[in-house]
């Protein structure tokens, strides 16, 4: 079996903000510690769930620096560095490598729609060439429901062909399990990570590498249980129970807008009400919604 | 009649780049001069046609500073300052005001899709409050085909209600003429600008204020003719001819991806081949396409 990277459970960590909507680095560091203690293999901070695109390049640099300075191991971090502007993606990727991160998750440039495979190829090539660092490990980020710009298969073909040691993985948040399996089959040597928690287990069984997911902000332990035990027949019952739990928590949270619900749940878990705030254009749950969420989480013993 | 702002013909200017894909400010300044000489009332630089979202905040600041320093009157500039990140929109808007621009065109935050009116309202409010400058004049930017996040009517309602002297206009690039007319009817005192060249004349007749358009990079003179003459029965024939011309040029260019075609045409007009380059993910026309474009432009006597 080839040595894939990244493998395991990565949490697409939420980014807490202060009352002034500035990044709250101490609260994020605490959250990262908790996630690692829950069994996450790493933290994919500053992705869609982390509201990365709602922060400036300087804020994103400060967040990553703060987390590393406060002792979260850089080699367990997998930050998002993809922006609409080529120059921003290059700046953030260079910065992340300099801090010693193991890899970066790179969105396609997402402002223009219906761009060509040639155009996307040119974008990723320009990033890789301008960063020009042998340590660079890129995880492509396929999230068509949000970015509206997909990572088409011919793009992966070209990038794998040209940069087999650099373009090492893909996070597939398209929600289409058949597509994830197709990626595993077509691209041996490419780490395919599920972008939805309940799909990690079936994808592992098809040769996938793990997950980068949002619900793991709340239920990382169950994902870690699945990842540790899925090959072991003796742990089948434990794995199935964890999988059922993951599906339950995800279904519960999906009654509200995802990031607001996960932030609301984290506010309740930590006792820090500030956690509930996203940055506009996302909105916090209303008081009523937060009360409903608390009832639901308590009824399911998530809290 | 109320005093609306902005009024007239604004060109959504292209942004030339160097071989290294850096902004080519001298070439942009030359283009701005030409556009004003052709009769544009102002220049809406760094919009969608200007590939604004493909440049970093620092690059966008440098572009605007360069243009102002090289003598393009700041009060004829209407730069785009809307970004995915609230903090970037605030930074760019403050910077533009400091340089003396008359107004700014502000995209909604465009990364997250299906955001609520509350979330969009909170975004624009946060920008206006954080900029905190009585000189601020905001033109909302409705371009759902690209941003995928629209400016819904209830959002305009709330912003006009709260900031009637600040939120002064809307650029409607939705392509739906009935929607533009609805905006004129619903919001007296709001300048409604057509985002498509052939729609300026019909919109002026319905009470619109002018246009901010892409084809004006090539055919600004005709738009200026229409704007100057549309109320004067003695100039009806001249206006109709200009309108026919605008429609012809736009139809011609629409055989290729718009920005690539306009840049290709500008390369031919100026004799500077570098003009043909966009920044990835957009791509320049191929040699064949450029040759076809040249034939078409010459056949129509645009060149």
């Amino acid at each position: 079996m080839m040595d894939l990277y990244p493998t395991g459970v990565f949490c697409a960590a939420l980014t807490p903000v202060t009352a002034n909507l500035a990044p709250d680095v101490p609260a994020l560091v605490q959250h990262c510690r908790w996630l690692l203690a829950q069994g996450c293999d790493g933290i994919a901070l500053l992705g869609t769930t982390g509201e990365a695109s709602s922060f400036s390049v300087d804020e994103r640099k400060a967040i990553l620096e703060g987390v590393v300075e406060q002792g979260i191991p850089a080699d367990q971090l997998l930050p998002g560095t993809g922006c609409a502007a080529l120059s921003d993606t290059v700046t953030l990727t260079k910065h992340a490598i300099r801090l010693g991160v193991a890899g970066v998750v790179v969105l396609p440039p997402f402002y223009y729609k219906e761009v060509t495979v040639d155009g996307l190829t040119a974008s990723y090539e320009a990033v890789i060439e301008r960063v020009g660092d042998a340590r660079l490990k890129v995880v492509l980020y396929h999230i068509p429901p949000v970015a509206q710009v997909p990572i088409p298969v011919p793009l992966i073909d070209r990038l794998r062909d040209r940069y087999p040691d650099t373009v090492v993985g893909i996070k597939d948040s398209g929600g289409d399990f058949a597509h994830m399996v197709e990626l595993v089959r077509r691209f041996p040597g490419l780490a395919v990570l599920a972008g939805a928690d309940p799909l990690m287990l079936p994808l592992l069984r098809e040769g996938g590498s793990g997950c980068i997911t949002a619900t793991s902000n709340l239920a990382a332990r169950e994902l870690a249980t699945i990842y540790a035990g899925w090959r072991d027949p003796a742990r089948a019952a434990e794995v199935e129970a964890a999988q059922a739990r993951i599906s339950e928590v995800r279904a519960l949270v999906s009654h509200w807008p995802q990031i607001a619900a996960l932030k609301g749940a984290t506010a309740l878990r930590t006792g820090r009400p500030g956690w509930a705030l996203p940055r506009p254009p996302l909105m916090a749950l209303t008081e009523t919604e937060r009360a409903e969420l608390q009832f639901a989480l308590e009824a399911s013993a998530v809290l």
Side-chain angles (χ1 to χ4, degrees), chain A residues 20-240:
Chain A
N20 190 33
L21 303 179
D24 184 343
V25 176
L28 175 58
V29 169
Q30 223 168 7
H31 187 52
C32 290
R33 286 214 183 94
W34 182 79
L35 289 168
L36 294 174
Q38 293 283 303
C40 282
D41 296 289
I43 295 165
L45 74 173
L46 290 167
T48 299
T49 306
E51 297 171 80
S53 302
S54 297
F55 294 99
S56 70
V57 164
D58 286 345
E59 288 170 328
R60 290 167 74 160
K61 287 160 84 169
I63 289 168
L64 186 58
E65 282 166 25
V67 167
V68 172
E69 277 165 16
Q70 296 301 309
I72 306 298
D75 64 3
Q76 287 188 282
L77 295 175
L78 193 61
T81 60
C83 300
L86 174 61
S87 31
D88 285 338
T89 304
V90 171
T91 299
L92 287 176
T93 304
K94 281 185 177 171
H95 176 259
I97 292 177
R98 207 178 314 129
L99 288 176
V101 305
V104 291
V105 182
V106 185
L107 274 171
F110 53 78
Y111 182 66
Y112 294 101
K113 307 306 183 299
E114 294 170 30
V115 290
T116 61
V117 171
D118 285 348
L120 292 173
T121 306
S123 286
Y124 279 101
E125 285 182 354
V127 170
I128 292 167
E129 299 296 339
R130 281 161 192 244
V131 169
D133 193 311
R135 294 170 296 175
L136 174 61
K137 301 286 174 202
V138 169
V139 177
L140 304 169
Y141 191 0
H142 178 63
I143 183 166
V146 182
Q148 304 276 333
V149 177
I151 304 287
V153 166
L155 170 65
I156 310 173
D157 249 331
R158 293 191 199 174
L159 294 175
R160 284 288 293 166
D161 209 48
R162 181 140 183 215
Y163 305 106
D165 299 328
T166 302
V167 177
V168 295
I170 184 164
K171 173 184 179 183
D172 187 342
S173 296
D176 174 2
F177 185 65
H179 184 259
M180 300 177 202
V181 174
E182 190 199 346
L183 293 178
V184 171
R185 302 265 153 85
R186 267 180 184 258
F187 301 106
L190 185 75
V192 181
L193 298 120
D197 308 76
L199 297 181
M200 182 184 75
L201 177 58
L203 189 63
L204 287 172
R205 291 176 173 148
E206 300 288 342
S209 298
C211 72
I212 301 176
T213 58
T215 314
S216 56
N217 280 284
L218 214 54
R221 191 178 295 176
E222 285 78 4
L223 285 164
T225 298
I226 295 169
Y227 191 77
W230 74 276
R231 290 175 193 275
D232 183 355
R235 295 175 74 176
E238 186 193 352
V239 165
E240 285 308 323

